[in-house]
Amino acid sequence: MPSDPPVRRPGLVRQALRSVNRAELLDQKTVRFLAALGSPAVPPPPRESDQELGAVPGLRVRDAWELFESQLRSRHIDLMARELRAKGLGYYTIGSSGHEGNAVFGRLLRLTDPVFLHYRSGALLLERARHDPAVDMVRALLLSLVAAEEDPIAQGRHKVLGHPKLLAPPQTSTIASHLPKAMGAAALLETAWIQAGTRDRPPDGIVFANLGDASVNHSTALGAINAAGWTAYQGLPCPLFCLCEDNGWGISVETPRGWIEASYRDRPGWRYFTADGLDLFETWRVAREAIDCCRKTRAPVFFHLRVVRLLGHAGTDQEAEYRSLASIEETEALDPILQSARHLNQAGLASARELLDCYEAVRNEVRDLAEWAVGRPRLSTPEAVMAPLAPYRREAVEAEARREPADPSSVHRGRPAPDPADAPLHLSLGINRALGELLFKYPEMIVFGEDVAQKGGVYTVTSGLRRQHGPRRVFNTLLDEQSILGLAQGGAFWGLLPVPEIQYLAYFHNAEDQIRGEAASLQFFSADQYRNGMVVRMAGLAYQKGFGGHFHNDNSIAVLRDIPGLIVACPARADDAAGLLRTLLALARVDGRVSVFLEPIALYMTKDLHTPGDRLWLAPYPQPGVAIPLGEPRFYGDPNGADLLVVTYGNGVYFSLRAADRVARVKGARISVMDLRWLKPIHHEAIREASGLAKGVLVVDEGRETGGVSEEIVARLSEPRHPKPVRRLTGRDSYIPLGPAADTVLLTEGEIEQALCMLLDEVKAPPARPGRNTARRRRR
């Protein structure tokens, strides 16, 4: 169909600059335009007609009208958002005006195709809701604008686009952060179909994600797009449909003309399509072809949809500060609502009166529902706000952790060496055996990361697992931590149990938002209606010999402990590693929790404790059915009646036991060492109880002085004031240098020994007699 000249709306911008309400002016102009349209030469067919439009294959009269209605609903919700905000009743004004052409994708995608949406997808989501008549998306979006508890997705916690019945998990405004998990869902769709029991979904399903022309430049988006192409280039299925809605602006930064096409037309592994998103009929034709291509080829598709942005980036954005009047007027002349109305009118489907009546009927529908929504209850207590953040059904989790594999003999099948099953193991072998056991227990479990497959990881922790469980369940990834964590989220979306490996803790930082902003926040922003339970393995902490420096000895634990809802476990020995992993997988499976399993590199191969050859750091593999409950610490020596209690974790357990042994022999003291094992949550009740049994407490924290574990422990012991001496030792607030210089900033065994001796002297010193000298010292 030949394109018509743009609808000109001269002077609108100048009026807007003299008015406080541009949205109202845009609305008035739309009404005048619709009223001015003519009437078809012949009476239009009924709006419910299934008659196809000859020039647009597959598009019925009913489809065209409903698409237009969804566009109008999206526009009126945008206008209402600004009105509510002006009255102090709403909290979000980033709208979809100008992007309403994306409604076509809401129509053409199946309800079984998951959609990961960006914040200008109002029309798409409204149209998608037609697949389920029980969903009232207008009501849902208005409830989200006013942060009402009855919002079906976030329940008052945020304005997000999503719905529990539409396979649309909630997305927030972090730039392009949803692309990695959309890529992961596409790349692992076939694995989930086989391993996780999703065979009720069509085998030609696809995964949809959209973003803007500015967001597509973000490193997160580029990494996900590259990973999808990398996958498809090898002939592996990755049916990701990526819709780039190009309005030419990133807030006030203009996208260079032609940049998107030049960047993506010939990208390896991808198919490229483009359409005018202001033309409803053209968008329908090209979108049908592109979606069909993605389904049949199982390859990623990049769809470049040219749209416009109306009413600025958000309600507070004054476009005239960075755009010329001519530019804004030219954009306003291309309003997709007017273009769609004219297409319907010229195709003989609607008269001016019908179009105007539809516009006003939608306005009234939105206004009536908005007046109702502003009176609905809002979250009012911290307990209500945080209810879905960290669900924990203790009995169910512990029962699942203790549940034995269907074949008990599988416990020892995964061992990489032919040692007897009951031979004591070092930490690396303990982790390896636990992963092998859990892969047998959970058919939906997958293990992946850089070098984890044939090589078995850089420390051979995953050695033999691929050979035993196959390349679909144990596989290598490309070198991109964001994509690794995106695969984990995408796999978990389908019901898989992902155990990704981040090769070093220091490598996590460039991908942190995939846990902080996405994986760990999903249950919070969806009111626990969507989950992505996973266990992220990270090799970390310091003291690695012969291969040091910051990037292989990172001890910045604070970055993990600061993430709401995240669980952090840290084993020191092989038996604890298995017990912790059993519980972590149970937490992922039962409650959808996201966890980090922080593995002390320096202890991987450690065998001896006090003297060479004593093999006291080895531990037998725990029997099936033995697991470590969430938060439960481990004690070396009874704290009851002990002179000192040492509270520590990771390498600190090893160092503290050695130091305590020497001090005990020299000083004749009883010292109990508590291994926290769980760095988040910390079992403060257990610490307080044990500290009350000893005469003094030393907190040994191998992390940094600022933001470390010890800060929280000492603070909690002092609330209320602890009656006994409490001291802490930490590493320095420094990056870790290479070679012997590392010992100058890390906590050392000698420092622990010295601190124990000083604290012993303090707790064993006789109390000073009150008298003249004592009183004088106190005054000083």
Side-chain angles (χ1 to χ4, degrees):
M1 180 179 295
S3 60
D4 297 309
V7 181
R8 298 298 300 174
R9 297 196 285 178
L12 177 60
V13 174
R14 295 186 183 89
Q15 295 178 50
L17 292 175
R18 295 192 298 268
S19 170
V20 295
N21 195 335
R22 285 184 56 203
E24 184 177 335
L25 292 173
L26 183 65
D27 175 41
Q28 293 170 358
K29 190 67 176 182
T30 302
V31 170
R32 289 196 293 271
F33 174 85
L34 295 177
L37 289 172
S39 297
V42 297
R47 289 174 56 170
E48 299 79 15
S49 172
D50 288 329
Q51 173 187 335
E52 284 198 13
L53 278 65
V56 190
L59 182 68
R60 303 169 301 175
V61 173
R62 176 199 303 272
D63 299 324
W65 264 107
E66 290 182 349
L67 286 166
F68 180 62
E69 188 178 55
S70 292
Q71 290 183 309
L72 295 184
R73 283 174 168 163
S74 179
R75 175 63 58 84
H76 277 298
I77 289 172
D78 283 356
L79 299 177
M80 180 55 64
R82 294 178 180 233
E83 183 177 332
L84 291 170
R85 185 71 193 96
K87 296 176 179 178
L89 299 173
Y91 309 99
Y92 199 87
T93 57
I94 298 180
S96 304
S97 295
H99 287 243
E100 289 91 351
N102 61 28
V104 167
F105 297 90
R107 186 76 168 197
L108 292 175
L109 292 166
R110 301 171 186 161
L111 200 54
T112 52
D113 299 324
V115 292
F116 297 85
L117 305 177
H118 86 328
Y119 48 68
R120 300 199 191 277
S121 304
L124 189 157
L125 198 55
L126 285 158
E127 184 62 31
R128 184 174 175 83
R130 295 185 189 277
H131 292 299
D132 187 342
V135 175
D136 186 342
M137 204 63 227
V138 177
R139 181 186 300 258
L141 289 175
L142 289 166
L143 285 168
S144 71
L145 286 174
V146 300
E149 279 188 274
E150 295 169 22
D151 165 23
I153 185 64
Q155 297 181 2
R157 291 173 183 84
H158 203 280
K159 165 63 176 70
V160 294
L161 285 175
H163 199 282
K165 294 184 178 180
L166 299 181
L167 212 59
Q171 305 305 319
T172 58
S173 299
T174 307
I175 301 301
S177 61
H178 60 303
L179 259 292
K181 60 183 173 183
M183 176 278 299
L188 292 174
L189 192 153
E190 184 175 307
T191 296
W193 200 77
I194 295 170
Q195 299 293 146
T198 60
R199 291 177 182 268
D200 57 327
R201 303 189 184 279
D204 64 343
I206 64 175
V207 176
F208 176 91
N210 62 343
L211 75 170
D213 54 294
S215 300
V216 81
N217 296 301
H218 197 280
S219 62
T220 303
L222 291 170
I225 290 167
N226 178 73
W230 181 85
T231 302
Y233 185 78
Q234 301 173 74
L236 301 173
C238 189
L240 173 63
F241 193 103
C242 182
L243 174 65
C244 177
E245 299 179 28
D246 180 4
N247 65 30
W249 292 94
I251 304 184
S252 66
V253 179
E254 193 169 8
T255 298
R257 190 177 300 274
W259 170 247
I260 300 299
E261 182 176 4
S263 300
Y264 290 97
R265 174 173 287 280
D266 298 312
R267 196 172 190 90
W270 284 79
R271 274 67 168 173
Y272 178 87
F273 293 82
T274 186
D276 180 2
L278 308 176
D279 185 332
L280 201 63
F281 295 170
E282 178 183 324
T283 301
W284 175 278
R285 285 197 305 270
V286 183
R288 283 186 79 206
E289 179 186 355
I291 290 171
D292 186 60
C293 172
C294 193
R295 292 197 192 285
K296 290 179 177 178
T297 65
R298 316 307 293 155
V301 164
F302 189 93
F303 195 109
H304 180 201
L305 189 69
R306 304 183 303 279
V307 297
V308 294
R309 189 189 72 187
L310 302 177
L311 299 177
H313 175 72
T316 57
D317 181 25
Q318 299 298 321
E319 285 189 289
E321 294 178 356
Y322 54 87
R323 296 184 66 179
S324 68
L325 297 182
S327 170
I328 298 176
E329 286 185 335
E330 183 180 350
T331 298
E332 301 243 358
L334 300 172
D335 185 346
I337 296 295
L338 307 189
Q339 308 299 333
S340 294
R342 185 170 55 190
H343 279 319
L344 290 175
N345 180 255
Q346 293 182 350
L349 304 183
S351 66
R353 182 74 263 166
E354 288 175 305
L355 292 168
L356 188 57
D357 286 349
C358 183
Y359 186 81
E360 294 299 336
V362 170
R363 180 205 303 279
N364 293 334
E365 174 194 20
V366 170
R367 182 165 297 280
D368 289 346
L369 285 172
E371 291 175 356
W372 167 82
V374 296
R376 306 314 297 164
R378 291 169 172 77
L379 297 169
S380 58
T381 67
E383 292 79 14
V385 170
M386 296 173 64
L389 176 61
Y392 178 41
R393 291 176 288 172
R394 179 172 181 171
E395 291 184 1
V397 169
E398 292 183 0
E400 175 62 25
R402 293 192 301 267
R403 181 173 65 85
E404 299 183 16
D407 179 4
S409 65
S410 67
V411 172
H412 298 294
R413 287 184 192 169
R415 65 181 186 273
D419 295 341
D422 58 352
L425 309 171
H426 53 61
L427 178 61
S428 175
L429 278 177
I431 297 171
N432 176 275
R433 192 150 300 169
L435 292 172
E437 170 199 321
L438 292 165
L439 281 163
F440 276 109
K441 181 176 179 177
Y442 297 113
E444 69 272 30
M445 177 177 161
I446 52 176
V447 174
F448 55 93
E450 301 163 21
D451 302 305
V452 304
Q454 294 93 331
K455 181 178 175 62
V458 292
Y459 297 100
T460 68
V461 177
T462 55
S463 177
L465 297 181
R466 177 186 174 95
R467 183 170 59 253
Q468 191 153 24
H469 298 278
R472 190 180 295 281
R473 300 186 63 201
V474 181
F475 55 90
N476 289 327
T477 66
L478 75 174
L479 198 154
D480 177 19
E481 284 73 25
Q482 289 194 98
S483 293
I484 292 171
L485 295 175
L487 280 167
Q489 293 173 81
F493 176 83
W494 291 120
L496 294 168
L497 271 178
V499 182
E501 178 187 294
I502 300 298
Q503 204 164 79
Y504 291 99
L505 173 59
Y507 297 174
F508 168 69
H509 305 305
N510 63 0
E512 178 192 350
D513 186 58
Q514 287 302 303
I515 297 296
R516 178 184 297 277
E518 293 295 329
S521 73
L522 180 62
Q523 287 174 283
F524 181 77
F525 289 122
S526 71
D528 199 22
Q529 296 171 101
Y530 286 97
R531 296 177 165 192
N532 47 201
M534 67 182 73
V535 180
V536 183
R537 292 181 48 246
M538 293 187 198
L541 304 180
Y543 305 103
Q544 185 180 183
K545 302 298 183 183
F547 189 51
H550 163 68
F551 294 103
H552 305 104
N553 283 271
D554 191 5
N555 60 357
S556 56
I557 304 165
V559 73
L560 300 172
R561 298 184 66 253
D562 183 55
I563 300 175
L566 184 70
I567 295 170
V568 182
C570 180
R573 301 180 64 172
D575 49 352
D576 284 344
L580 291 170
L581 280 169
R582 287 170 180 171
T583 297
L584 291 174
L585 266 296
L587 283 159
R589 193 172 197 257
V590 173
D591 284 326
R593 298 296 295 276
V594 179
S595 305
V596 167
F597 190 62
L598 187 59
E599 302 169 6
I601 301 172
L603 296 179
Y604 269 151
M605 307 297 178
T606 300
K607 301 178 180 65
D608 306 323
L609 178 55
H610 299 299
T611 59
D614 66 16
R615 299 177 68 83
L616 291 179
W617 200 245
L618 301 178
Y621 190 80
Q623 292 299 310
V626 176
I628 300 171
L630 178 64
E632 184 177 286
R634 176 175 183 169
F635 288 92
Y636 295 86
D638 190 349
N640 191 12
D643 294 299
L644 298 179
L645 172 71
V646 179
V647 182
T648 188
Y649 63 92
N651 294 294
V653 180
Y654 181 80
F655 294 147
S656 296
L657 286 172
R658 287 167 57 86
D661 179 71
R662 290 193 295 271
V663 172
R665 285 188 280 110
V666 172
K667 295 273 191 176
R670 287 184 56 201
I671 302 175
S672 175
V673 176
M674 172 194 281
D675 178 2
L676 291 169
R677 300 193 290 198
W678 302 92
L679 305 187
K680 187 182 180 191
I682 291 175
H683 199 323
H684 288 288
E685 294 79 5
I687 296 173
R688 179 165 290 278
E689 181 181 350
S691 65
L693 300 174
K695 298 173 184 176
V697 180
L698 178 65
V699 183
V700 175
D701 182 357
E702 65 179 283
R704 299 171 188 168
E705 181 178 6
T706 303
V709 175
S710 58
E711 282 188 335
E712 178 182 343
I713 295 172
V714 172
R716 292 289 288 268
L717 284 175
S718 65
E719 302 168 353
R721 182 176 177 83
H722 198 270
K724 300 172 184 179
V726 177
R727 304 288 181 266
R728 72 177 180 128
L729 283 177
T730 71
R732 276 57 167 184
D733 283 343
S734 171
Y735 296 106
I736 300 172
L738 188 65
D743 294 333
T744 66
V745 296
L746 292 173
L747 180 62
T748 66
E749 202 172 296
E751 289 175 315
I752 299 173
E753 187 173 347
Q754 183 180 15
L756 287 173
C757 291
M758 293 175 63
L759 189 53
L760 272 174
D761 291 342
E762 183 177 350
V763 300
K764 288 189 174 184
R769 290 185 179 182
R772 189 171 180 181
N773 292 337
T774 303
R776 185 177 297 118
R777 284 196 299 272
R778 286 176 179 168
R779 283 197 298 270
R780 291 177 182 172

